[in-house]
Structure formats: C-alpha cells, structure tokens
Amino acid sequence: MEIKADTTVCIGAGMCALTAPQLFDQSEDEGTVLVLQREVPPELEDTVRRAVTLCPSGAISAT
Amino acid sequence: MSDLTLPMVRRRPLDPPDELGELRRQAPVHRLTFADGHLGWLVTGYAAARAVLADPRFSNRPERMHPPIPGRMELARREGFRLPPGMFLRTDPPEHTRYRRLLTGQFTVRRMKALEPRIAEITEEHLDAMEAAGPPADLVEAFALPIPSLVICELLGVPYEDRARFQEDARILFNLETKAEDALAAVGSTMAYLSDLIGRKRDKPDDDLLSGLVEGGELTDEELTGVGFLLLLAGHETTANMLGLGTYALLTNPAQLAALRDDPSIAETAVEELLRYLTIIHLGPVRSAVEDVEIEGVLIRAGETVALSLPAANRDPERFPGGDTLDVTRPATGHLTFGHGIHQCLGQQLARAEMRIAYPALLRRLPGLRLAVTPEEVPMRSDMSIYGVHRLPVTW
C-alpha cells in the first residue's frame, strides 16, 4: 500500500497526523499534510485506511 | 408540499428530539419546509450528511440559504447585507481557501500539543480557586467557560479582562430568539473592539496569533478583524459548552464518570465519545446546492437549501451501533460534530487538547463531584444555537 497526498486540497485538520503519526505530519508554516513515509508497512494498513476516511478534504488516499 | 418542519423539542436533555431518530429510521433525506416557506431538505443519516458536507456543489454562503427555523439567518438574506470580509466560515472556495490557508499552520496537532502544559496550568488554577471558595459552585462560571476563554484569548492575543464584553455579544448572537437588529449590533460592537485591538497590534506587535497575522502582511485590517471575530467567538462558546454539558452527562451517567475517573488513559476516547453523543452544534449546519446533486438516491436541485441534523447523524446505528447510549470506551472517531469537508472545525485539535486535560483534572481533583440540584433543575440551552447547560450547580 502506498500513500498519496495532495497539499493543494489539504485544509490542515490534522486527522492524519493524529491517527497515524508514524506516517503523517503537518508542515510547520502551512499546516498541510507531510507524508513521512510513502510505503505503508502491512501492520499499519488499517490505520492508514482510517486516516483516509477521517480526512475531511479528501487530501490523502492509499492504494 | 411537505408538512414537516424541523423538530426542536427534546424529551430528554441529552437526547435529540425523538422525531429526528424516527425520521432517520425511515430515510436519510426528507423534504422539509423551512421557516420562510422554502421547500428544502433535512438530512438525518450519517452517510448522507457526510456526503453533503464533502461535496463542493454545496455552498456555505449565507445569502443563498433559507432559515430552517424562524428568526435565524433573517439578517443574511436581507438586501444589502454583507458579511464582513475575513469571516471565512460562510464563504466558498477560492475565497475560503485563501483565509483557511493563512490559519492552518496555527492549529496543527504539534502546536496544540505544545500548548498542553499551559492549558493544564490554567485548569489547575481554576480548580484551586474552586476548592478555595468551597462548595457549591456553578461549574460553568468557575470552570467550563473561563478555561477555553482564557486559552483562546491568550492564543489570539486578546486581553482577558475584555472578555465580559464579547461574552455578552456571543450570548446575543447564539440566542435563537435574537432579532436581526440586535444581532447586527452585537457583531458591530465586537468588530469595533477588535478593529481597535488590531490597530494596537499593528503599532506594537506581540508574540500572539493576531500579531503574527498582522505581521504576515497578507490581510487588510478589515479582514483581520473578521478573522479575529470568527476565532474569538468560536473559541468561546464551543469548548465551554462541551465542558459544561459533558460534565452534566458524566454526572448523570455515574458508571461512565467512574470509568473515566479511574482510568485517565481513556481520556482521548472519552472525549470523542462525548463529542459524538452530545453534538452541541444541534441546529444546522445548512448548505445550498449550486447545481443538481444526487445524495443517497435523492435529487437535490440547484438553489435548494439542505439542513443537516448532526445529532441525528451522529447517532445513526449504521455508523455507531447503539449510538443512543453514552459509552466512553467506544471508538467514536469519525463523528460529524466538528463538521466534515473543507469547513471542518479549524480549532478541533485545540478543543480536543482542552477537553483531554480538563475532564480528567476535574474528576481527579474533586472525586466526590455531584450535582447540587436534581438533573431536571439544570437549565438547558435549548434556546441557543450551541447546546449545553446555562448553569451547572455542583458540590463535592
């Protein structure tokens, strides 16, 4: 599973960074999504799916 | 023509009107007659509410909306009315995007975590004062309102001594029966105060959010005033009512209170569940379709207004089985209390941090906390657009 993030639609709600802090952070200035690691370890796949569902702006996806 | 108007009467203080649950059992979307006669829609299902909130074909501009209940939004539809620039909640992209962008960096998860020691300090100071004064106390006045109020004032750089002024304006604005003229006067009074404050920040910037925005140089003073107004108001009434109503909910559900008091490690889960179960944004939000949109098989035509019942959506058993019961161990993430889509609450991580600290601190310090009146005697905020308790008499 691989993460894709679109900072142009991100609204900085921070749900990804809160749900999967191992893989997501927020940029210092903009507050928009930062992907720390694109490849999702198998044990974190469910967590990433939850982060994708919780993202209010549809900025992150995982396939 | 539909004869359905928005159900407003609660039979039990912590439950939304029974009719809303009944409607949700029938279908997620219903025809609704709005206060001005407009034939629009009422959404009670979780998936449908989420779909509307996430869909860019729905506008959040007030002049497009019809009021679901009498009195509300009368002002916005009046000819010549203009929302001050900077009150970006009621705007659409690309206007919305620009304002939101300027603020997202201020409310990140990391920033709010960094604020936690200060929130804890403020919380302990208020518990000290409550203990020193001795029981009984009004928990709203002594705890639930001042903590979020102090935090947002500090963050924005608004002198806390001035709070009485905008708290009164907020009370007028959030009262469902407020007349348009009075609402306008309350907006004007807070805007005048903030405008003056922004001027002072321009002359002598400090280490706070408003000063930071002033120095950023991207917003005019008028826009800054609007942004400040929105953040100040949002920061005052929302978390305060969550703390007041949440404590009432725990005191009237002793097993839930005990679970949180005895295991503070569940604070995060408990906060999400209280947010879901209580859904203090109990009326609205509303959106209007700018083109035809199909939601859960229902065609909503361009120009039609949709009222969303977040309390009904947050208790949809398809998403939250057994959702009419408060269970502080339930994984309640994904509730719609902070909204969904591009307008989802900017201050949600601040609100979470405040509640995660304040509830356990209160229960730890005053383990014998109980209501000083019967549950029925607590005055509920059915008359306000943000639900909660007007006062919460407690003893310990």
Side-chain angles (χ1 to χ4, degrees):
Chain A
M1 190 186 253
E2 203 179 287
I3 298 170
K4 282 200 183 72
D6 183 351
T7 53
T8 63
V9 299
C10 175
I11 56 157
M15 293 313 293
C16 55
L18 203 66
T19 310
Q22 313 92 325
L23 303 177
F24 298 98
D25 198 356
Q26 296 173 281
S27 79
E28 195 71 52
D29 310 328
E30 297 260 289
T32 49
V33 56
L34 282 178
V35 180
L36 303 175
Q37 188 188 322
R38 230 155 256 294
E39 267 312 309
V40 181
E43 69 274 15
L44 284 179
E45 288 191 354
D46 281 348
T47 309
V48 168
R49 274 189 212 104
R50 192 160 71 245
V52 169
T53 313
L54 291 176
C55 175
S57 60
I60 55 171
S61 59
T63 42
Chain B
M1 193 65 194
S2 156
D3 53 7
L4 176 66
T5 56
L6 191 65
M8 302 269 291
V9 179
R10 285 177 183 248
R11 305 296 190 291
R12 296 164 304 281
L14 295 178
D15 292 326
D18 292 339
E19 295 87 340
L20 287 170
E22 188 47 48
L23 288 166
R24 190 194 55 227
R25 275 184 282 280
Q26 292 164 13
V29 185
H30 285 265
R31 272 291 187 191
L32 180 77
T33 300
F34 285 62
D36 60 357
H38 171 74
L39 190 59
W41 301 93
L42 170 66
V43 170
T44 51
Y46 175 86
R50 218 176 113 104
V52 170
L53 291 170
D55 197 314
R57 292 171 294 177
F58 286 99
S59 168
N60 199 20
R61 296 194 64 88
E63 71 274 13
R64 292 176 178 274
M65 310 291 183
H66 295 268
I69 62 167
R72 302 298 288 163
M73 283 183 280
E74 180 202 329
L75 189 65
R77 290 183 64 84
R78 197 179 279 191
E79 211 172 327
F81 173 78
R82 187 184 70 114
L83 209 62
M87 286 197 204
F88 61 94
L89 175 62
R90 308 307 305 274
T91 60
D92 294 334
E95 198 186 355
H96 171 267
T97 319
R98 172 173 169 257
Y99 290 113
R100 175 112 195 182
R101 268 296 145 92
L102 286 169
L103 288 162
T104 48
Q106 309 292 337
F107 292 89
T108 59
V109 172
R110 197 184 317 129
R111 281 274 182 92
M112 296 310 126
K113 284 222 190 311
L115 259 181
E116 285 184 6
R118 183 63 190 125
I119 298 172
E121 208 171 87
I122 291 172
T123 304
E124 296 303 328
E125 282 166 15
H126 283 81
L127 289 169
D128 290 344
M130 258 177 87
E131 271 197 322
D138 171 12
L139 195 87
V140 172
E141 199 191 2
F143 186 82
L145 186 58
I147 296 171
S149 178
L150 253 173
V151 171
I152 195 69
C153 281
E154 254 190 53
L155 194 64
L156 290 178
V158 173
Y160 186 61
E161 310 80 80
D162 298 340
R163 74 194 180 283
R165 178 167 171 180
F166 35 79
Q167 273 172 7
E168 174 58 14
D169 290 334
R171 199 188 56 75
I172 294 167
L173 286 172
F174 289 127
N175 191 310
L176 296 173
E177 270 142 45
T178 292
K179 299 273 171 291
E181 282 71 23
D182 299 332
L184 203 61
V187 171
S189 130
T190 299
M191 292 291 277
Y193 167 76
L194 283 170
S195 172
D196 176 64
L197 182 69
I198 301 281
R200 280 184 277 146
K201 302 264 176 212
R202 202 168 275 289
D203 295 339
K204 195 169 164 288
D206 210 341
D207 185 26
D208 56 59
L209 199 154
L210 285 179
S211 296
L213 287 177
V214 166
E215 291 193 299
E218 281 202 51
L219 297 173
T220 65
D221 282 12
E222 200 189 8
E223 288 175 313
L224 283 162
T225 305
V227 168
F229 180 89
L230 185 60
L231 299 184
L232 188 60
L233 231 62
H236 261 91
E237 290 282 311
T238 47
T239 310
N241 282 298
M242 268 308 298
L243 290 175
L245 187 64
T247 305
Y248 175 82
L250 293 170
L251 291 172
T252 52
N253 288 274
Q256 299 300 313
L257 183 145
L260 176 58
R261 183 193 55 214
D262 300 343
D263 183 6
S265 77
I266 66 164
E268 204 170 303
T269 310
V271 164
E272 289 307 307
E273 170 66 351
L274 285 165
L275 283 162
R276 179 200 72 81
Y277 181 73
L278 300 171
T279 318
I280 57 167
I281 307 296
H282 67 138
L283 293 167
V286 284
R287 295 289 190 269
S288 80
V290 287
E291 43 184 286
D292 293 358
V293 190
E294 198 180 298
I295 296 290
E296 302 271 305
V298 174
L299 180 67
I300 294 167
R301 299 232 177 245
E304 288 183 327
T305 297
V306 183
L308 300 139
S309 172
L310 300 184
N314 276 341
R315 290 187 179 206
D316 189 337
E318 299 244 333
R319 180 63 183 75
F320 300 106
D324 282 326
T325 309
L326 175 69
D327 173 3
V328 293
T329 62
R330 176 203 308 273
T333 49
H335 61 72
L336 300 176
T337 304
F338 289 121
H340 184 66
I342 60 163
H343 296 289
Q344 195 183 62
C345 178
L346 181 68
Q348 58 181 298
Q349 306 306 351
L350 177 61
R352 285 192 172 97
E354 292 179 9
M355 285 183 271
R356 212 168 46 228
I357 291 165
Y359 285 128
L362 174 70
L363 301 181
R364 187 173 58 235
R365 181 76 77 93
L366 307 171
L369 190 73
R370 58 189 188 279
L371 289 178
V373 294
T374 66
E376 296 73 31
E377 287 172 310
V378 174
M380 309 306 295
R381 288 173 46 115
S382 307
D383 53 339
M384 306 296 273
S385 54
I386 298 176
Y387 192 62
V389 291
H390 280 295
R391 290 183 302 284
L392 191 63
V394 292
T395 188
W396 55 89

